[in-house]
Amino acid sequence: MEQHITAPLSKQEAAKLKSGDYVYITGTIYTARDAAHKRMFEALQNNEPLPMEMKDNIIYYMGPSPARDGRPIGSAGPTTASRMDKYAPSLLDLGLCGMIGKGKRSQEVSDAIVRNGAVYFAAVGGAGALLSKSIISSEVIAYDDLGTEAIRKLEVKDFPVIVVIDKDGNNLYETAITAYNKE
Amino acid sequence: MRTIQVGDITEHIKEMCIEANHFLTEDMKSALQNACEKEEALLGRQILNQLQDNLNIAGTDMIPICQDTGMAVIFVEIGQDVHFEGGNLEDAINEGVRRGYVEGFLRKSVVKDPLIRENTKDNTPAIIHYEIVPGDKVKITVAPKGFGSENMSRVFMLKPADGIEGVKNAILTAVKDAGPNACPPMVVGVGIGGTFEKCAIMAKKALTRPVNEHSEIPYVKELEEELLEKINASGIGPGGLGGTTTALAVNINTYPTHIAGLPVAINICCHVNRHSVRMI
């Protein structure tokens, strides 16, 4: 099913998303990848504040290429989500509602998605030029020294993603493959 | 003896880094186009069409095809009658990478130390493989390698008794474990034989062979065809979201090995299988 949602995303709205849905996101999302997650995790361990609110927000696992003049961002496709698996359950428990990446997640992440009524989306890997066209603005809000790995606040319009893991724990990577398996 | 100024090499490398990150080679473009026509899954076709749009936007607006503009892997085949002048060749190559990534708005993805992890901010150093060949030419291949797929690559030190079935299992295991993480449809580079490091370098180099060309060794060609069919029967599909296009090609290189060994390396590349080749 095709759905249009706005970000931030409430748990009520997230509950309407089903594994396999094609979703267009409009609104505000945040980027964070390996190094930013490590820092956020350390901040939590030291009881320090996070650079942005987790509640109802969506994190996009992405580190862009530099923007050319006149553009908000460079190439901007998803990175492999499993590298963030160590950190994701803590953020989900703090209210994070959605993650955008590509590739498999651990059982711990899937459990945390179900426990919190959150959602894991995939964007098409290796389509960074196309995806950059759905990003209207980009602003570094934390960890500027990390370069491409800094945390960015993005305004997106009709950003195309697919629901992989929904709040019931259905996983498109597992179900879709069986449909075309000819072994 | 032919003399080449290393400054010329720098200029070539710079241009090739930018070119490879914005334009795929013709064989890769037609393989992706063919896949669009043959894919059975609706979502799979939709994803493959997005990849076509992505390539068009990349080339027209000069936005890198993928934000992971890779670590610059460079093969340099140097004719033994060539003499380099004007400085250190390796420094000249790295200077080309530096200029290409800084001036070409490419992402800087290299950290200086694997554990301390401080970004070098200019994507150097490159990974350079030198080879001395007959003649007075220099062939350069710049192949920026993204790490989503690099991370899913494997080396298996099989036993001779494992034979061809062991090799097939190793390749299929690597591809299935990679699944959606490696951004399928992928290109699968394989090195069989040699030593631990030789098979890995062969696998990497196999990725630079055009995807519409097979090995010249008849049994290896058959193996490439059989494995491609088996990989595409896995159902993984474009983006790992189900379908009949999981790989565009399986390219296998072989080399003599030791009586006690059967090394196999599988270097997986995503659909952004980039390389720029020049003969100087």
Side-chain angles (χ1 to χ4, degrees):
Chain A
M1 193 167 110
E2 212 171 271
Q3 303 218 44
H4 289 260
I5 61 169
T6 53
L9 177 66
S10 70
K11 294 280 164 74
Q12 272 171 317
E13 290 302 310
K16 296 177 188 164
L17 303 173
K18 300 282 171 229
S19 180
D21 284 353
Y22 204 97
V23 177
Y24 294 93
I25 304 174
T26 297
T28 306
I29 64 174
Y30 294 87
T31 70
R33 49 170 292 154
D34 308 57
H37 273 81
K38 184 163 183 279
R39 277 203 195 167
M40 286 196 286
F41 195 69
E42 285 163 0
L44 287 176
Q45 285 177 322
N46 298 328
N47 291 316
E48 290 163 8
L50 293 179
M52 75 279 202
E53 184 72 31
M54 282 299 131
K55 189 175 180 304
D56 292 348
N57 269 320
I58 296 176
I59 290 183
Y60 182 19
Y61 300 142
M62 190 275 287
S65 65
R68 283 185 184 267
D69 289 346
R71 293 215 183 88
I73 204 160
S75 194
T79 195
T80 310
S82 59
R83 292 196 315 274
M84 270 52 78
D85 283 358
K86 178 180 169 187
Y87 312 114
S90 311
L91 302 182
L92 288 163
D93 289 339
L94 286 172
L96 179 69
C97 194
M99 300 158 287
I100 308 170
K102 59 153 171 119
K104 301 171 201 174
R105 305 308 303 261
S106 66
Q107 189 57 49
E108 288 74 20
V109 174
S110 182
D111 293 345
I113 289 171
V114 173
R115 180 165 73 234
N116 292 291
V119 58
Y120 170 51
F121 302 101
V124 174
L130 176 76
L131 290 168
S132 76
K133 296 287 181 178
S134 300
I135 298 171
I136 300 163
S137 71
S138 164
E139 179 199 351
V140 173
I141 59 147
Y143 310 153
D144 198 11
D145 60 301
L146 294 180
T148 185
E149 295 203 70
I151 293 185
R152 289 171 168 79
K153 182 179 177 183
L154 304 182
E155 297 301 326
V156 297
K157 187 168 191 312
D158 292 330
F159 189 88
V161 294
I162 296 148
V163 178
V164 175
I165 306 177
D166 63 21
K167 67 155 182 49
D168 297 318
N170 299 308
N171 187 333
L172 186 63
Y173 285 139
E174 287 162 12
T175 52
I177 283 177
T178 54
Y180 293 93
N181 187 301
K182 295 174 179 177
E183 286 164 350
Chain B
M1 183 71 78
R2 178 175 168 230
T3 300
I4 294 178
Q5 297 295 323
V6 296
D8 293 344
I9 302 286
T10 297
E11 195 56 29
H12 280 291
I13 299 272
K14 175 193 136 181
E15 291 171 8
M16 292 166 83
C17 288
I18 296 172
E19 184 183 276
N21 273 298
H22 293 85
F23 305 94
L24 288 186
T25 47
E26 288 304 320
D27 58 298
M28 275 302 297
K29 281 196 269 184
S30 19
L32 279 165
Q33 183 107 44
N34 291 343
C36 279
E37 287 153 25
K38 287 204 297 201
E39 174 56 50
E40 291 174 24
L42 181 65
L43 181 57
R45 278 201 302 277
Q46 209 169 340
I47 291 170
L48 290 170
N49 282 327
Q50 283 192 7
L51 298 183
Q52 296 283 315
D53 293 345
N54 186 61
L55 282 181
N56 292 335
I57 292 169
T60 310
D61 294 354
M62 288 305 277
I63 302 172
I65 304 167
C66 177
Q67 77 290 337
D68 184 354
T69 52
M71 194 162 189
V73 176
I74 301 177
F75 291 95
V76 192
E77 293 170 41
I78 304 167
Q80 63 185 25
D81 296 329
V82 170
H83 169 67
F84 290 105
E85 251 185 26
N88 180 318
L89 176 63
E90 186 138 333
D91 290 347
I93 292 172
N94 279 317
E95 181 59 23
V97 170
R98 181 175 294 117
R99 289 189 199 167
Y101 276 74
V102 172
E103 294 171 27
F105 294 87
L106 304 178
R107 197 178 78 178
K108 289 76 182 170
S109 311
V110 174
V111 292
K112 193 174 180 184
D113 180 282
L115 292 173
I116 299 168
R117 304 199 75 80
E118 190 190 343
N119 199 299
T120 63
K121 297 193 165 66
D122 59 11
N123 222 54
T124 66
I127 304 292
I128 310 170
H129 301 292
Y130 298 100
E131 209 178 317
I132 306 293
V133 298
D136 64 355
K137 301 266 193 287
V138 176
K139 183 183 176 188
I140 303 176
T141 304
V142 174
K145 186 67 171 70
F147 259 56
S149 55
E150 189 74 356
N151 279 338
M152 305 317 290
S153 302
R154 302 279 294 271
V155 173
F156 293 87
M157 299 305 285
L158 299 180
K159 297 176 183 67
D162 292 326
I164 199 161
E165 287 309 313
V167 170
K168 288 179 196 170
N169 281 338
I171 296 168
L172 292 172
T173 299
V175 168
K176 285 180 189 173
D177 287 351
N181 294 27
C183 289
M186 29 184 139
V187 178
V188 185
V190 181
I192 308 174
T195 49
F196 180 75
E197 83 285 6
K198 175 71 180 175
C199 70
I201 294 172
M202 282 197 292
K204 177 75 74 199
K205 201 162 187 187
L207 292 171
T208 67
R209 190 209 302 163
V211 289
N212 51 8
E213 281 178 22
H214 278 292
S215 167
E216 288 169 6
I217 305 166
Y219 93 86
V220 179
K221 175 177 186 279
E222 279 172 34
L223 193 57
E224 290 174 341
E225 289 168 342
E226 182 189 334
L227 282 162
L228 181 61
E229 198 173 309
K230 285 208 162 100
I231 289 168
N232 286 333
S234 67
I236 295 169
L241 295 169
T244 52
T245 317
T246 301
L248 300 171
V250 179
N251 285 357
I252 303 176
N253 286 345
T254 60
Y255 196 78
T257 189
H258 190 278
I259 48 172
L262 177 50
V264 181
I266 299 105
N267 194 197
I268 295 179
C269 193
C270 58
H271 54 82
V272 192
N273 182 27
R274 298 163 280 205
H275 40 268
S276 169
V277 185
R278 288 189 190 178
M279 188 71 91
I280 297 157

